[in-house]
Amino acid sequence: MTAISASAVPAAASPDPDGAVLHRPVIDWFDAHARDLPWRRPEAGAWGVMVSEFMLQQTPVNRVLPVYEQWLARWPRPADLAAEPPGEAVRAWGRLGYPRRALRLHGAAAAIRERHGGDVPRDHAQLLALPGVGEYTAAAVASFAYGQRHPVLDTNVRRVFARAVGGAQYPPNATTAAERKLARTLLPDDEPTAARWAAATMELGALVCTARTPDCARCPIASLCAWRQAGSPEHDGPPRRGQTYAGTDRQVRGKLLAVLRGTVTPVPQATLDQVWDEPVQRARALDGLVSDGLVEPLSGGLYRLPLT
DNA sequence: TAGGCGTGGCA
DNA sequence: TTGCCAAGCCT
């Protein structure tokens, strides 16, 4: 079996320059093994897809599921969310993490109401212009909700391509132009197949071609995988970027916001002071939350989630 | 572009 | 136990 080459060989020299040999096995595998997730059901609609994409940014599926259901039940349309204060979005976000996403989702809902008549736009550029929507999310909504043909490059897809095509255990830390070019090259020509391919490659990365212990025995393209053919070499070079957390401002921000999420009553400074004993860092974290719009300072040293 | 930004499960 | 990791975005 021949590996799919990512190198810049002339098309005539490559047996499968567009990777078409990968499409059928990956999509067939997806048809047989895809998870039944609520945002994949037809009734989810574009808004359901968009909400799920915001929540799934850096947060695992299992933690998203209950919050997603509550969110859609409470705010079934963008205008429903836009009608409430941003602080309610932050409160409903719960412990999903990165609460700025809640603020941005609220802002996206407001923009959808104002600029798009309350309907999630279909156009990639219009999606990209919404707060909190980057290259990945715009492509994902356009592809999953509207069946369009866009390269969808998330961490799962990048890992699948790095292994199957690039022969490496992991993709680069930051997405490269070469990865974008490869994703465009591998994208099936017709819209419905391209949309299927996007979902299928993501699912393959999430369920089989996982970061730590890939289950190659269940992989539909194991025989084509460049990384396997190279003997599954371990990652070498600089260490992959890790994230520290304990003792950082992020941890303090999380504790402060948890207090404010727990009550609709404005909270005195003295109460917030109890979550962290180092005053300089504590003040810096609270200032950061205020400047991010996640916390609203009131007169008299009181704080609450933002009403505006 | 490198770093900041939450949270919790798992090996 | 302690890193590593999870459907990124923004500055």
Side-chain angles (χ1 to χ4, degrees):
Chain A
M1 209 58 86
T2 304
I4 310 303
S5 174
S7 61
V9 271
S14 171
D16 184 35
D18 62 356
V21 69
L22 298 174
H23 296 161
R24 183 46 53 196
V26 171
I27 291 173
D28 284 350
W29 172 87
F30 183 65
D31 289 341
H33 299 287
R35 290 167 292 180
D36 176 27
L37 300 170
W39 43 86
R40 288 179 176 162
R41 297 171 193 154
E43 61 266 30
W47 174 238
V49 171
M50 173 170 280
V51 170
S52 77
E53 292 302 336
F54 271 77
M55 292 183 173
L56 288 164
Q57 291 168 5
Q58 302 284 281
T59 303
V61 166
N62 284 339
R63 209 133 41 88
V64 165
L65 282 168
V67 183
Y68 172 87
E69 299 286 7
Q70 294 166 17
W71 194 282
L72 266 294
R74 181 172 176 183
W75 299 307
R77 298 164 303 178
D80 301 319
L81 175 59
E84 294 224 32
E88 282 308 298
V90 174
R91 192 189 315 282
W93 199 252
R95 306 187 66 79
L96 286 182
Y98 292 145
R100 291 192 290 196
R101 292 181 294 166
L103 224 45
R104 290 170 183 156
L105 181 52
H106 181 273
I112 288 168
R113 181 183 62 182
E114 290 152 21
R115 306 205 288 258
H116 304 293
D119 294 322
V120 176
R122 309 176 72 92
D123 181 69
H124 183 275
Q126 292 181 329
L127 287 164
L128 196 56
L130 298 172
V133 176
E135 191 63 38
Y136 161 76
T137 301
V141 172
S143 181
F144 302 152
Y146 295 124
Q148 296 171 21
R149 181 178 183 272
H150 294 282
V152 176
L153 259 190
D154 79 322
T155 187
N156 291 303
V157 176
R158 294 181 61 223
R159 187 174 55 249
V160 169
F161 289 175
R163 289 175 181 167
V165 183
Q169 186 179 21
Y170 297 116
N173 277 335
T175 305
T176 63
E179 287 182 276
R180 293 192 182 90
K181 178 177 182 177
L182 176 62
R184 285 196 305 272
T185 299
L186 294 179
L187 199 58
D189 289 330
D190 69 286
E191 275 199 319
T193 307
R196 204 77 181 147
W197 166 255
T201 47
M202 282 180 65
E203 192 78 337
L204 186 62
L207 297 183
V208 172
C209 194
T210 55
R212 293 188 202 181
T213 53
D215 191 357
C216 301
R218 291 199 302 140
C219 179
I221 54 172
S223 65
L224 300 170
C225 178
W227 183 52
R228 291 208 89 205
Q229 293 185 6
S232 305
E234 291 291 312
H235 171 78
D236 60 349
R240 313 181 66 213
R241 188 154 65 96
Q243 28 183 359
T244 55
Y245 181 65
T248 62
D249 287 7
R250 295 160 76 173
Q251 185 180 20
V252 185
R253 287 165 57 106
K255 288 178 176 295
L256 291 169
L257 211 54
V259 172
L260 295 169
R261 275 199 311 265
T263 175
V264 295
T265 308
V267 173
Q269 171 95 50
T271 301
L272 295 177
D273 285 349
Q274 293 171 17
V275 308
W276 198 258
D277 57 14
E278 206 291 296
V280 174
Q281 187 178 29
R282 191 176 65 218
R284 186 173 63 233
L286 183 55
D287 285 349
L289 288 170
V290 171
S291 60
D292 284 348
L294 285 163
V295 171
E296 183 175 359
L298 305 174
S299 61
L302 296 171
Y303 296 88
R304 68 181 175 197
L305 297 181
L307 286 185
T308 58

PDB file of all heavy atoms in Angstrom, chain A residues 1 24 40 56-58 81 94 172 176 206 217 219 251 280 297 302:
ATOM      1  N   MET A   1       0.842  -1.208   0.000  1.00  0.00           N
ATOM      2  CA  MET A   1       0.000   0.000   0.000  1.00  0.00           C
ATOM      3  C   MET A   1       0.871   1.250   0.000  1.00  0.00           C
ATOM      4  O   MET A   1       1.946   1.292   0.588  1.00  0.00           O
ATOM      5  CB  MET A   1      -0.895  -0.030   1.229  1.00  0.00           C
ATOM      6  CG  MET A   1      -2.208   0.685   1.050  1.00  0.00           C
ATOM      7  SD  MET A   1      -3.240   0.074  -0.310  1.00  0.00           S
ATOM      8  CE  MET A   1      -4.114  -1.252   0.527  1.00  0.00           C
ATOM      9  N   ARG A  24     -13.534   7.592   0.809  1.00  0.00           N
ATOM     10  CA  ARG A  24     -14.542   6.540   1.015  1.00  0.00           C
ATOM     11  C   ARG A  24     -14.375   5.806   2.345  1.00  0.00           C
ATOM     12  O   ARG A  24     -15.339   5.669   3.107  1.00  0.00           O
ATOM     13  CB  ARG A  24     -14.534   5.575  -0.178  1.00  0.00           C
ATOM     14  CG  ARG A  24     -15.591   4.484  -0.104  1.00  0.00           C
ATOM     15  CD  ARG A  24     -16.959   5.004   0.289  1.00  0.00           C
ATOM     16  NE  ARG A  24     -17.405   6.112  -0.560  1.00  0.00           N
ATOM     17  CZ  ARG A  24     -18.414   6.932  -0.244  1.00  0.00           C
ATOM     18  NH1 ARG A  24     -19.062   6.789   0.891  1.00  0.00           N
ATOM     19  NH2 ARG A  24     -18.755   7.916  -1.057  1.00  0.00           N
ATOM     20  N   ARG A  40     -25.895  17.345  16.023  1.00  0.00           N
ATOM     21  CA  ARG A  40     -25.843  16.738  14.695  1.00  0.00           C
ATOM     22  C   ARG A  40     -27.230  16.360  14.188  1.00  0.00           C
ATOM     23  O   ARG A  40     -27.367  15.923  13.047  1.00  0.00           O
ATOM     24  CB  ARG A  40     -24.961  15.476  14.717  1.00  0.00           C
ATOM     25  CG  ARG A  40     -23.485  15.774  14.843  1.00  0.00           C
ATOM     26  CD  ARG A  40     -22.682  14.497  14.881  1.00  0.00           C
ATOM     27  NE  ARG A  40     -21.249  14.786  14.906  1.00  0.00           N
ATOM     28  CZ  ARG A  40     -20.320  13.912  15.272  1.00  0.00           C
ATOM     29  NH1 ARG A  40     -20.678  12.686  15.622  1.00  0.00           N
ATOM     30  NH2 ARG A  40     -19.051  14.239  15.270  1.00  0.00           N
ATOM     31  N   LEU A  56     -17.671  23.885  22.431  1.00  0.00           N
ATOM     32  CA  LEU A  56     -16.689  22.832  22.223  1.00  0.00           C
ATOM     33  C   LEU A  56     -15.282  23.370  21.991  1.00  0.00           C
ATOM     34  O   LEU A  56     -14.338  22.585  21.889  1.00  0.00           O
ATOM     35  CB  LEU A  56     -17.117  21.959  21.029  1.00  0.00           C
ATOM     36  CG  LEU A  56     -18.324  21.056  21.313  1.00  0.00           C
ATOM     37  CD1 LEU A  56     -18.928  20.530  20.011  1.00  0.00           C
ATOM     38  CD2 LEU A  56     -17.950  19.898  22.222  1.00  0.00           C
ATOM     39  N   GLN A  57     -15.153  24.695  21.922  1.00  0.00           N
ATOM     40  CA  GLN A  57     -13.810  25.265  21.793  1.00  0.00           C
ATOM     41  C   GLN A  57     -13.016  24.977  23.061  1.00  0.00           C
ATOM     42  O   GLN A  57     -13.191  25.620  24.084  1.00  0.00           O
ATOM     43  CB  GLN A  57     -13.895  26.782  21.557  1.00  0.00           C
ATOM     44  CG  GLN A  57     -14.462  27.167  20.203  1.00  0.00           C
ATOM     45  CD  GLN A  57     -14.801  28.659  20.121  1.00  0.00           C
ATOM     46  OE1 GLN A  57     -14.525  29.417  21.058  1.00  0.00           O
ATOM     47  NE2 GLN A  57     -15.411  29.086  19.027  1.00  0.00           N
ATOM     48  N   GLN A  58     -12.160  23.987  23.005  1.00  0.00           N
ATOM     49  CA  GLN A  58     -11.265  23.632  24.124  1.00  0.00           C
ATOM     50  C   GLN A  58     -11.978  22.954  25.288  1.00  0.00           C
ATOM     51  O   GLN A  58     -11.438  22.894  26.393  1.00  0.00           O
ATOM     52  CB  GLN A  58     -10.524  24.877  24.642  1.00  0.00           C
ATOM     53  CG  GLN A  58      -9.709  25.583  23.583  1.00  0.00           C
ATOM     54  CD  GLN A  58      -8.430  24.869  23.266  1.00  0.00           C
ATOM     55  OE1 GLN A  58      -7.467  24.977  23.994  1.00  0.00           O
ATOM     56  NE2 GLN A  58      -8.426  24.106  22.181  1.00  0.00           N
ATOM     57  N   LEU A  81     -31.459  34.843  23.247  1.00  0.00           N
ATOM     58  CA  LEU A  81     -30.260  35.108  24.038  1.00  0.00           C
ATOM     59  C   LEU A  81     -29.930  36.594  24.044  1.00  0.00           C
ATOM     60  O   LEU A  81     -29.601  37.172  25.091  1.00  0.00           O
ATOM     61  CB  LEU A  81     -29.071  34.305  23.480  1.00  0.00           C
ATOM     62  CG  LEU A  81     -27.715  34.569  24.142  1.00  0.00           C
ATOM     63  CD1 LEU A  81     -27.757  34.261  25.638  1.00  0.00           C
ATOM     64  CD2 LEU A  81     -26.622  33.739  23.458  1.00  0.00           C
ATOM     65  N   GLY A  94     -21.858  28.285  33.277  1.00  0.00           N
ATOM     66  CA  GLY A  94     -21.469  27.374  34.344  1.00  0.00           C
ATOM     67  C   GLY A  94     -19.967  27.173  34.410  1.00  0.00           C
ATOM     68  O   GLY A  94     -19.207  28.132  34.326  1.00  0.00           O
ATOM     69  N   PRO A 172       2.165  20.668  13.910  1.00  0.00           N
ATOM     70  CA  PRO A 172       2.894  21.777  14.545  1.00  0.00           C
ATOM     71  C   PRO A 172       2.034  22.450  15.610  1.00  0.00           C
ATOM     72  O   PRO A 172       0.816  22.280  15.647  1.00  0.00           O
ATOM     73  CB  PRO A 172       3.151  22.741  13.385  1.00  0.00           C
ATOM     74  CG  PRO A 172       2.930  21.943  12.142  1.00  0.00           C
ATOM     75  CD  PRO A 172       1.954  20.881  12.482  1.00  0.00           C
ATOM     76  N   THR A 176      -0.205  25.881  10.127  1.00  0.00           N
ATOM     77  CA  THR A 176       0.684  26.436   9.109  1.00  0.00           C
ATOM     78  C   THR A 176      -0.029  26.554   7.766  1.00  0.00           C
ATOM     79  O   THR A 176      -1.076  25.947   7.534  1.00  0.00           O
ATOM     80  CB  THR A 176       1.905  25.529   8.922  1.00  0.00           C
ATOM     81  OG1 THR A 176       1.457  24.247   8.451  1.00  0.00           O
ATOM     82  CG2 THR A 176       2.659  25.343  10.226  1.00  0.00           C
ATOM     83  N   ALA A 206     -11.209  12.334  16.999  1.00  0.00           N
ATOM     84  CA  ALA A 206     -11.744  12.359  18.360  1.00  0.00           C
ATOM     85  C   ALA A 206     -11.880  10.958  18.960  1.00  0.00           C
ATOM     86  O   ALA A 206     -11.700  10.772  20.157  1.00  0.00           O
ATOM     87  CB  ALA A 206     -13.100  13.060  18.363  1.00  0.00           C
ATOM     88  N   ALA A 217      -5.923  -0.147  15.376  1.00  0.00           N
ATOM     89  CA  ALA A 217      -6.605  -1.380  14.965  1.00  0.00           C
ATOM     90  C   ALA A 217      -8.016  -1.085  14.471  1.00  0.00           C
ATOM     91  O   ALA A 217      -8.584  -1.843  13.684  1.00  0.00           O
ATOM     92  CB  ALA A 217      -6.660  -2.365  16.135  1.00  0.00           C
ATOM     93  N   CYS A 219      -8.780   1.836  12.928  1.00  0.00           N
ATOM     94  CA  CYS A 219      -8.704   2.951  11.979  1.00  0.00           C
ATOM     95  C   CYS A 219      -8.930   2.485  10.547  1.00  0.00           C
ATOM     96  O   CYS A 219      -8.261   1.556  10.082  1.00  0.00           O
ATOM     97  CB  CYS A 219      -7.350   3.639  12.084  1.00  0.00           C
ATOM     98  SG  CYS A 219      -7.172   5.018  10.919  1.00  0.00           S
ATOM     99  N   GLN A 251      -6.519  30.997  37.421  1.00  0.00           N
ATOM    100  CA  GLN A 251      -7.162  30.298  38.529  1.00  0.00           C
ATOM    101  C   GLN A 251      -7.903  31.285  39.431  1.00  0.00           C
ATOM    102  O   GLN A 251      -9.022  31.010  39.885  1.00  0.00           O
ATOM    103  CB  GLN A 251      -6.111  29.535  39.342  1.00  0.00           C
ATOM    104  CG  GLN A 251      -6.720  28.688  40.450  1.00  0.00           C
ATOM    105  CD  GLN A 251      -5.684  27.929  41.255  1.00  0.00           C
ATOM    106  OE1 GLN A 251      -4.503  28.285  41.257  1.00  0.00           O
ATOM    107  NE2 GLN A 251      -6.117  26.894  41.937  1.00  0.00           N
ATOM    108  N   VAL A 280      -2.229  41.513  45.599  1.00  0.00           N
ATOM    109  CA  VAL A 280      -1.855  42.120  44.318  1.00  0.00           C
ATOM    110  C   VAL A 280      -2.418  41.299  43.156  1.00  0.00           C
ATOM    111  O   VAL A 280      -3.037  41.828  42.225  1.00  0.00           O
ATOM    112  CB  VAL A 280      -0.321  42.242  44.203  1.00  0.00           C
ATOM    113  CG1 VAL A 280       0.067  42.729  42.809  1.00  0.00           C
ATOM    114  CG2 VAL A 280       0.217  43.199  45.266  1.00  0.00           C
ATOM    115  N   PRO A 297     -18.452  46.510  37.869  1.00  0.00           N
ATOM    116  CA  PRO A 297     -18.269  47.138  39.186  1.00  0.00           C
ATOM    117  C   PRO A 297     -19.386  48.141  39.439  1.00  0.00           C
ATOM    118  O   PRO A 297     -19.770  48.902  38.549  1.00  0.00           O
ATOM    119  CB  PRO A 297     -16.917  47.851  39.047  1.00  0.00           C
ATOM    120  CG  PRO A 297     -16.803  48.158  37.587  1.00  0.00           C
ATOM    121  CD  PRO A 297     -17.600  47.111  36.832  1.00  0.00           C
ATOM    122  N   LEU A 302     -19.188  47.152  45.235  1.00  0.00           N
ATOM    123  CA  LEU A 302     -19.975  45.955  44.914  1.00  0.00           C
ATOM    124  C   LEU A 302     -19.698  45.504  43.478  1.00  0.00           C
ATOM    125  O   LEU A 302     -19.386  46.317  42.601  1.00  0.00           O
ATOM    126  CB  LEU A 302     -21.471  46.242  45.082  1.00  0.00           C
ATOM    127  CG  LEU A 302     -21.948  46.587  46.497  1.00  0.00           C
ATOM    128  CD1 LEU A 302     -23.404  47.054  46.476  1.00  0.00           C
ATOM    129  CD2 LEU A 302     -21.786  45.384  47.418  1.00  0.00           C
TER     130      LEU A 302
END
